[in-house]
Amino acid sequence: SAVISQKPSRDICQRGTSLTIQCQVDSQVTMMFWYRQQPGQSLTLIATANQGSEATYESGFVIDKFPISRPNLTFSTLTVSNMSPEDSSIYLCSVEGGWGYGYTFGSGTRLTVV
Amino acid sequence: TQLLEQSPQFLSIQEGENLTVYCNSSSVFSSLQWYRQEPGEGPVLLVTVVTGGEVKKLKRLTFQFGDARKDSSLHITAAQPGDTGLYLCAGDPAGGSNYKLTFGKGTLLTVNP
């Protein structure tokens, strides 16, 4: 299965600023997924990022707040813009491992907005 | 929107006890996956079940997919402190090609020594 390197692992940010999270995959993948996991909660899909096209956002998430880049088949970034304390969460990237192999996740970015 | 109801939400048991976690839906899934997540890490896949009625075993963990592919269970025998973590079920929608998993809310398991 793929190996994902995600960074930063954690950050504490001032409200109103932006943070860009990076995910590097050790193999080429068509789609990458970005999730948010609020404290003690399950995962909520933010958007799906395809190389060479605009990301597809889920209901409740917009491009202005969570711009995504996907410059090639092994890399993607998610930016959390104009942050507020409500954005404090764990952000995870993920790729599909192929039929029957589930999904591989990065180790997550724990974001605290103060 | 396909929903997965996972229960219980919290479970605290003593080492050596058995437990079962349930994942239920009114929707059919082409496959269902179970993940375990430890603090500071992303979820790690435990198993994927794809056939109705399928049973898979992973050491002390037994996973079952319902005959109608709408529900699943995870049974742990003789739990150990190392089993502590957040257990998540996730379903791949049947007939879908959008690759979007539906996650349950998770079961936070604590096994006390």
Side-chain angles (χ1 to χ4, degrees), chain B residues 15 75 84 91 99 105:
Chain B
E15 183 176 1
H75 182 79
T84 293
Y99 299 96
K105 289 187 179 295

Short mmCIF file of all heavy atoms in Angstrom, two decimals, chain B residues 15 75 84 91 99 105:
data_model
loop_
_atom_site.label_atom_id
_atom_site.label_comp_id
_atom_site.label_asym_id
_atom_site.label_seq_id
_atom_site.Cartn_x
_atom_site.Cartn_y
_atom_site.Cartn_z
N GLU B 15 -8.95 -5.81 30.82
CA GLU B 15 -8.15 -6.76 30.05
C GLU B 15 -8.72 -8.17 30.20
O GLU B 15 -9.10 -8.59 31.30
CB GLU B 15 -6.70 -6.72 30.55
CG GLU B 15 -5.75 -7.61 29.78
CD GLU B 15 -4.31 -7.45 30.24
OE1 GLU B 15 -4.07 -6.66 31.18
OE2 GLU B 15 -3.43 -8.12 29.68
N HIS B 75 -15.75 -8.18 16.57
CA HIS B 75 -15.70 -8.83 17.87
C HIS B 75 -14.24 -9.02 18.27
O HIS B 75 -13.43 -9.52 17.48
CB HIS B 75 -16.41 -10.19 17.81
CG HIS B 75 -16.45 -10.89 19.13
ND1 HIS B 75 -17.34 -10.57 20.13
CD2 HIS B 75 -15.68 -11.89 19.63
CE1 HIS B 75 -17.13 -11.35 21.19
NE2 HIS B 75 -16.13 -12.16 20.91
N THR B 84 -6.54 -0.74 22.68
CA THR B 84 -7.11 0.59 22.92
C THR B 84 -6.96 1.47 21.69
O THR B 84 -5.91 1.51 21.06
CB THR B 84 -6.41 1.25 24.13
OG1 THR B 84 -6.73 0.51 25.31
CG2 THR B 84 -6.85 2.69 24.30
N GLY B 91 -17.96 2.58 4.84
CA GLY B 91 -18.59 1.84 3.76
C GLY B 91 -18.33 2.47 2.41
O GLY B 91 -18.33 3.69 2.26
N TYR B 99 -15.93 6.79 -5.20
CA TYR B 99 -14.89 6.46 -4.24
C TYR B 99 -15.04 7.19 -2.92
O TYR B 99 -14.08 7.35 -2.20
CB TYR B 99 -13.50 6.79 -4.82
CG TYR B 99 -13.19 6.01 -6.07
CD1 TYR B 99 -13.40 6.57 -7.33
CD2 TYR B 99 -12.69 4.73 -6.00
CE1 TYR B 99 -13.12 5.84 -8.47
CE2 TYR B 99 -12.40 4.01 -7.14
CZ TYR B 99 -12.61 4.58 -8.37
OH TYR B 99 -12.33 3.87 -9.51
N LYS B 105 -19.38 7.03 13.26
CA LYS B 105 -18.88 8.02 14.21
C LYS B 105 -17.74 7.49 15.07
O LYS B 105 -17.09 8.24 15.78
CB LYS B 105 -20.02 8.51 15.10
CG LYS B 105 -21.02 9.40 14.37
CD LYS B 105 -22.02 9.98 15.34
CE LYS B 105 -23.01 10.88 14.61
NZ LYS B 105 -22.35 12.06 14.04
#
